[in-house]
Amino acid sequence: MARITPCLWFDGDAEAAATFYAATFPDSRIDAVHRAPGDYPAGKQGDVLTVEFTVLGLSFLGLNAGPHFRFNEAVSFQVHTNDQAETDRYWHAIVDNGGSASQCSWCKDRWGLSWQIVPRALTAALADPDRAAASRAFTAMMTMTKIDVAAIEAARHGEPA
C-alpha cells in the first residue's frame, strides 16, 4: 500500500470516472470497488462507497460522497505527451466525452476535474536557453486551447506557422 493516495470526491459516480480514466490512459486500471456493508444516511447497502484505481501508474481513491464539494482548477493533473497524436487522443477523450476545453493545454472532464495535456515539445520550447525562442513559443501557446506541436516548433524556430 502506498504511503499517500490522492482521494477524489465524486457525486456518486466514482466508478464511472475510474472506468473512463482506466480506458483512456495506459498503465491505468480499476484496482478495487468497495461497497457499503449496510444502509447509511446517503445510501443503501451495496452502493459503491469507494473505488481504488490507478491512472498512468499513480494510485487514487474515488470517494462517492455527494455533491457537497466540487473540483476546481486549484488541483489539476498534468499529462505529458510524446507527440501530436497522443496529445490529440487524450485531449479529445476528455473534451469529447462531456468535458470542456480551456486555454494553454487545460481542459476539464465531465466530472469537473482539470487536466493539462502537455506535449513534451512545449515544455522543451518554454525551457529553451534561447530566451527569444522560448518567448515566441510562449506567445504561440497563449493563443491555443489544445497545443499544436507543429505551431509551437515553428514559433520556437521563428518560422511562420
Side-chain angles (χ1 to χ4, degrees):
M1 176 177 263
R3 292 191 62 194
I4 188 168
T5 301
C7 180
L8 304 176
W9 184 304
F10 292 91
D11 184 11
D13 49 3
E15 188 173 17
T19 299
F20 173 76
Y21 303 144
T24 301
F25 299 103
D27 193 18
S28 302
R29 65 191 170 279
I30 295 177
D31 299 307
V33 176
H34 302 282
R35 298 182 179 279
D39 292 348
Y40 58 104
K44 299 178 181 174
Q45 179 179 357
D47 286 354
V48 173
L49 288 177
T50 61
V51 180
E52 295 175 35
F53 60 100
T54 300
V55 178
L56 293 165
L58 182 63
S59 296
F60 291 90
L61 180 72
L63 172 66
N64 281 330
H68 311 294
F69 300 104
R70 299 284 182 197
F71 296 119
N72 66 47
E73 291 79 2
V75 173
S76 66
F77 297 119
Q78 190 173 76
V79 177
H80 301 278
T81 58
N82 293 316
D83 56 31
Q84 190 68 54
E86 189 177 30
T87 300
D88 293 349
R89 185 173 77 243
Y90 295 153
W91 178 271
H92 287 293
I94 292 168
V95 172
D96 295 349
N97 285 289
S100 60
S102 190
Q103 283 186 265
C104 305
S105 83
W106 290 74
C107 57
K108 282 187 180 182
D109 64 27
R110 70 177 176 238
W111 296 278
L113 191 58
S114 292
W115 297 80
Q116 297 172 62
I117 308 303
V118 182
R120 294 182 194 284
L122 174 62
T123 303
L126 296 178
D128 193 315
D130 176 347
R131 299 317 296 158
S135 179
R136 290 190 302 270
F138 179 79
T139 299
M141 177 199 68
M142 294 301 293
T143 68
M144 298 177 185
T145 52
K146 178 178 54 102
I147 301 302
D148 179 332
V149 173
I152 292 294
E153 287 297 326
R156 180 181 186 183
H157 298 293
E159 302 164 359

